[in-house]
Amino acid sequence: MKKLELQEIDFKQSLPVVYEDLEPIIMAELNALRDKLRTLPENTESSEILNLFENCVLSLNKIEDNDAIESTIDTEEREGLCDALYKMGTIVGLDETTEYIDNWREW
């Protein structure tokens, strides 16, 4: 059931506005996280799941350091990214109210 719910998330809906040069990078990170979450066994520890989210957010943080990318993650992208990440987290049993994404993000 969770795997189907994860697959049904439309990242474009969460990120209706995103800079053209950021979109492929952001979508690749979100899709990679979703793919990893979909392959986890049902009884995976929340610490292991959180580690996957942390790695994704840390990768997204590196966008700011990439000189080949002109745009940065601004307010609209930030809100959309958090929305998409928290949607996935809720599906796999993480508590959004802990604001775990904020522990790692620099954007």
Side-chain angles (χ1 to χ4, degrees):
M1 172 89 104
K2 290 179 183 176
K3 293 177 184 195
L4 181 60
E5 286 179 67
L6 284 169
Q7 192 56 42
E8 290 176 349
I9 295 174
D10 180 1
F11 296 132
K12 294 249 188 211
Q13 188 177 15
S14 293
L15 287 150
V17 177
V18 62
Y19 291 115
E20 192 174 313
D21 57 342
L22 290 180
E23 186 173 9
I25 297 161
I26 289 173
M27 293 302 170
E29 287 296 332
L30 292 174
N31 281 308
L33 175 60
R34 174 171 42 200
D35 291 344
K36 290 173 188 166
L37 293 171
R38 290 179 63 220
T39 61
L40 291 176
E42 287 294 322
N43 59 347
T44 302
E45 296 286 327
S46 61
S47 60
E48 188 177 338
I49 296 169
L50 279 169
N51 189 48
L52 293 175
F53 279 86
E54 179 180 8
N55 290 336
C56 177
V57 172
L58 294 177
S59 290
L60 290 166
N61 287 345
K62 293 177 185 174
I63 289 173
E64 304 288 322
D65 301 329
N66 188 335
D67 293 334
I69 303 167
E70 190 174 313
S71 303
T72 59
I73 297 173
D74 291 332
T75 303
E76 289 184 354
E77 289 85 7
R78 181 173 34 256
E79 290 172 359
L81 275 169
C82 287
D83 180 58
L85 290 166
Y86 282 127
K87 275 183 188 175
M88 286 192 284
T90 298
I91 290 169
V92 295
L94 299 178
D95 182 1
E96 182 178 335
T97 63
T98 64
E99 298 181 343
Y100 53 91
I101 300 299
D102 291 336
N103 292 332
W104 313 297
R105 71 177 181 87
E106 296 171 1
W107 27 269

